[in-house]
Amino acid sequence: METTLILFKPDALHRGLVGQILSRFETKGLQLVGMRLMCMSSELADTHYAEHVDKPFYPGLKGFMTSSPIIAMALRGPNAIAVARSMMGKTFGIEAEAGTIRGDFGCSKSYNLVHGSDSQESAERELGLYFPEGLEDWKPIQAPWLWDDRE
Ligand code: IDP
Ligand code: MG
């Protein structure tokens, strides 16, 4: 089992897509083990996007991400990191495949609805930034059917 950090970016909230996007992750069988509505501070943006702070698009990205609330989620499941990334699709809606979240819900070249951790190391680091107090451990009643662990 893996746990990944997913952010619903400001455009997902402004566009009223939170329920539909979350529903895809839930239906897939990823379990919510953390969830927070919050504003991303300037400091958190710089830490979260440390690998991008020197890129030309970073000021725009930071302005976007800090402009209004986001939702941070921790989702757990088998291969959750890669599964969530494949459900999100390529970075921008114009190139993301149909059937993916970014591919189905947008065609902007700046706003792309969701963030998802891209590796185990990123997931661990990012989960610590948004959920320093830890996550909720609980067993979904569907777990035996979702995750192949029926007795
Ligand atoms: P990812 O979110 O698909 O992993 P990354 O390349 O890691 O994409 O970039 C992180 C975020 O930075 C993207 O989700 C997007 O919001 C933003 N970004 C990346 N490239 C550009 C760009 O060329 N213009 C504007 N924003 C960008
Ligand atoms: Mg990335």
Side-chain angles (χ1 to χ4, degrees):
M1 295 293 270
E2 286 178 349
T3 309
T4 188
L5 177 84
I6 300 294
L7 299 180
F8 285 28
K9 298 187 179 186
D11 53 331
L13 281 77
H14 279 286
R15 293 183 53 204
L17 293 172
V18 170
Q20 288 189 69
I21 298 173
L22 176 53
S23 179
R24 290 192 178 206
F25 289 124
E26 278 190 304
T27 309
K28 178 69 177 172
L30 296 179
Q31 175 198 7
L32 256 182
V33 291
M35 188 167 183
R36 258 181 96 185
L37 176 75
M38 60 183 284
C39 286
M40 184 182 264
S41 67
S42 167
E43 297 70 33
L44 180 56
D46 293 346
T47 309
H48 176 108
Y49 285 118
E51 65 176 317
H52 295 308
V53 286
D54 297 323
K55 307 243 172 88
F57 63 78
Y58 184 67
L61 172 62
K62 180 172 175 174
F64 161 51
M65 291 300 296
T66 57
S67 63
S68 59
I70 61 167
I71 297 175
M73 286 179 202
L75 293 180
R76 182 170 292 166
N79 301 323
I81 297 166
V83 165
R85 291 281 295 187
S86 73
M87 291 175 69
M88 289 161 49
K90 290 190 184 145
T91 301
F92 291 112
I94 44 160
E95 64 206 10
E97 307 81 351
T100 64
I101 292 163
R102 287 163 166 175
D104 285 353
F105 292 127
C107 53
S108 163
K109 294 183 214 169
S110 324
Y111 309 129
N112 59 2
L113 301 162
V114 282
H115 163 85
S117 306
D118 63 9
S119 66
Q120 296 214 17
E121 300 68 48
S122 308
E124 226 164 273
R125 184 181 80 87
E126 293 172 1
L127 287 165
L129 296 176
Y130 295 85
F131 299 100
E133 70 290 358
L135 303 169
E136 293 297 332
D137 275 319
W138 60 283
K139 184 151 178 145
I141 199 159
Q142 301 182 50
W145 298 96
L146 281 172
W147 299 332
D148 314 301
D149 60 354
R150 282 194 319 124
E151 300 289 304

